[in-house]
Amino acid sequence: MNKLKYYLAALFAFTLWGTFSLVLKPLHAYPSLDILFYRVFSCALIMTVISLLFKRAKLRSMISYFKSLKRKDQWHIAGLNIGSSVLLTANWFSFIYVMNHVSVRATSVAYLVCPIITTVLAYFILKDRLNKFQWLSVFLSLAGCLLLSYTSMIDMFYSSLIGLTYACYLISQHINKNLDKFLILNFHILLSAVILLPFFPTFSGSIPTDFKFYFYIEIIALFYTIIPLFLNLYALSGISSSKVGMMLNINPIIAFILAGVVYLEPLGTLQICAYVLIFIAVLVFNGCHLFKVKNN
């Protein structure tokens, strides 16, 4: 039960992300880069203001902790978090592009591939231990993804790209357990804004004048970026990367349902079977923790 709050944090974050298409699709007429620019700049502004107004004590404490580390550890943490910002920026752009210019279902497959990549990386890099049922769930997920790739190799390519960037981000955040999650996220997004700023004058379109654009951007910034990412980092502080990664499957299952029910994207028997396999994999992987199933 002491781990329940971390599972609930991940559950809420991924459930929220599963409905992302509802606020992103209304912006399909705008270039993907414009959506990315305004999303990141808005998030950076909101989080920086909150940090400066309400997190100054935590900020001073985190800076003091960082200064107390050995130089080697300082470089390691700095490099890791700079890399995390780059990964997050790449993940956001690829997701927006695929959602609005390829298909909603391709983005849902991305976050089915991501848990497999995350789990395997966590096993080899972080030495996360997996029992036989959890390995079974990995192979079930892999089988489901292979079925989906059979229907469209192009979608699978884009999906793998999105999934890989976020899997690497999840793994990279495992080391940040001693740092304030909100401030770390603020750093990632602020650096992402710095990375994108030089490209804004050249690659952005004309400044949007429609109120709808800014309305949806602010919803995306707050409810589909800041809140779920913070909850995601919080979950990682209490449960392993592989468990958080497998719970990520909740996101694409919801997106998959919306793709068929709301956006009427064609759905075949093979795809249904693939998603059923992956849903079973999620239950199997987390069963021993969520349902107290005793296993080796």
Side-chain angles (χ1 to χ4, degrees):
M1 289 299 291
N2 60 336
K3 299 283 187 180
L4 182 61
K5 58 185 178 180
Y6 301 111
Y7 280 102
L8 290 176
L11 177 64
F12 184 78
F14 299 142
T15 300
L16 198 58
W17 268 333
T19 65
F20 196 9
S21 61
L22 296 176
V23 294
L24 190 54
K25 270 295 184 180
L27 299 178
H28 73 277
Y30 294 91
S32 301
L33 270 175
D34 277 2
I35 298 172
L36 178 64
F37 284 141
Y38 287 95
R39 175 192 190 182
V40 173
F41 295 156
S42 183
C43 287
L45 179 61
I46 292 170
M47 293 196 74
T48 302
V49 169
I50 292 174
S51 295
L52 293 176
L53 290 179
F54 305 107
K55 305 282 288 184
R56 281 177 293 182
K58 283 284 186 180
L59 181 59
R60 286 193 294 267
S61 176
M62 196 169 77
I63 292 173
S64 297
Y65 169 74
F66 182 78
K67 288 181 177 179
S68 70
L69 297 174
K70 295 179 180 178
R71 182 60 60 89
K72 180 181 177 181
D73 293 331
Q74 289 179 345
W75 279 107
H76 180 62
I77 290 177
L80 186 69
N81 283 291
I82 290 171
S84 296
S85 298
V86 174
L87 286 169
L88 204 54
T89 306
N91 177 262
W92 286 342
F93 174 72
S94 58
F95 182 90
I96 292 169
Y97 177 82
V98 173
M99 172 76 77
N100 281 348
H101 301 287
V102 181
S103 72
V104 174
R105 188 158 290 123
T107 59
S108 72
V109 176
Y111 289 108
L112 294 175
V113 176
C114 182
I116 299 173
I117 300 172
T118 304
T119 302
V120 173
L121 289 177
Y123 177 77
F124 286 106
I125 298 175
L126 303 179
K127 307 302 179 185
D128 280 3
R129 297 181 62 183
L130 302 177
N131 59 47
K132 58 186 179 182
F133 293 105
Q134 291 170 327
W135 275 117
L136 172 63
S137 72
V138 171
F139 288 114
L140 286 174
S141 291
L142 181 59
C145 289
L146 289 175
L147 284 176
L148 291 170
S149 67
Y150 179 77
T151 63
S152 176
M153 288 301 295
I154 294 177
D155 281 9
M156 196 62 193
F157 169 77
Y158 284 114
S159 299
S160 299
L161 180 63
I162 298 171
L164 178 63
T165 54
Y166 196 68
C168 291
Y169 177 77
L170 283 177
I171 294 297
S172 71
Q173 292 316 293
H174 182 79
I175 201 168
N176 282 330
K177 286 188 174 181
N178 295 324
L179 303 174
D180 184 87
K181 302 304 175 188
F182 188 89
L183 292 175
I184 281 295
L185 182 58
N186 191 177
F187 175 81
H188 293 162
I189 294 177
L190 193 58
L191 185 56
S192 178
V194 172
I195 293 171
L196 291 173
L197 191 59
F199 300 99
F200 181 76
T202 303
F203 294 99
S204 65
S206 56
I207 297 176
T209 57
D210 190 350
F211 172 78
K212 182 184 78 170
F213 176 82
Y214 297 102
F215 175 75
Y216 281 111
I217 285 294
E218 293 311 311
I219 291 177
I220 289 171
L222 185 59
F223 294 103
Y224 290 90
T225 307
I226 296 172
I227 291 175
L229 275 175
F230 174 75
L231 290 174
N232 201 176
L233 293 181
Y234 176 75
L236 284 168
S237 69
I239 54 180
S240 67
S241 299
S242 58
K243 293 184 179 68
V244 173
M246 284 303 292
M247 289 188 72
L248 183 58
N249 279 307
I250 295 165
N251 171 349
I253 288 171
I254 295 173
F256 162 78
I257 294 170
L258 291 176
V261 175
V262 178
Y263 303 109
L264 304 178
E265 291 185 1
L267 175 63
T269 304
L270 198 62
Q271 291 172 314
I272 294 175
C273 292
Y275 276 89
V276 168
L277 270 178
I278 292 164
F279 182 70
I280 293 172
V282 177
L283 296 180
V284 171
F285 191 94
N286 293 293
C288 57
H289 301 281
L290 299 180
F291 306 110
K292 304 300 181 183
V293 177
K294 187 177 181 180
N295 52 62
N296 297 325

